Amino acid sequence: MAVQTKNVEYSKEIDDVAFLLVKIVADIRQGKGIAEVVSGAVAPLVDALAGVDQMGAEASANRKVALQTIGYRTGELTDAILGKS
């Protein structure tokens, strides 16, 4: 299977929240302590909270891009939970 790089559009605010979720899950699965998980999540949490109220507008403005963003992060979340294949 050939893996290629592709530039894609993404929904920033949706991505910020999804990235936070992936980061927290990955850190927990790596066995990091709660203090380390929390301290590592502060900056992504600030980013996510800054735009959480805009997520609905992003999804309404371009449903396709919003779903692509979620799909992209879902792959990362799966790897965080199950480990990389």
Side-chain angles (χ1 to χ4, degrees), residues 34-80:
I34 190 70
E36 192 175 1
V37 171
V38 171
S39 68
V42 171
L45 177 62
V46 170
D47 290 341
L49 290 177
V52 75
D53 61 325
Q54 299 169 35
M55 289 174 57
E58 278 187 344
S60 296
N62 195 327
R63 182 179 56 224
K64 176 184 162 188
V65 171
L67 291 172
Q68 285 173 327
T69 303
I70 294 167
Y72 172 77
R73 292 295 180 185
T74 300
E76 289 184 343
L77 183 59
T78 301
D79 274 354

Side-chain angles (χ1 to χ4, degrees), residues 6-53:
K6 193 181 267 195
N7 291 327
V8 297
E9 294 180 80
Y10 71 98
S11 297
K12 183 199 177 304
E13 307 309 337
I14 293 171
D15 188 60
D16 286 347
V17 172
F19 175 78
L20 173 63
L21 178 61
V22 170
K23 172 130 183 65
I24 290 171
V25 170
D27 286 352
I28 291 170
R29 292 287 293 162
Q30 290 172 5
K32 294 182 179 178
I34 190 70
E36 192 175 1
V37 171
V38 171
S39 68
V42 171
L45 177 62
V46 170
D47 290 341
L49 290 177
V52 75
D53 61 325

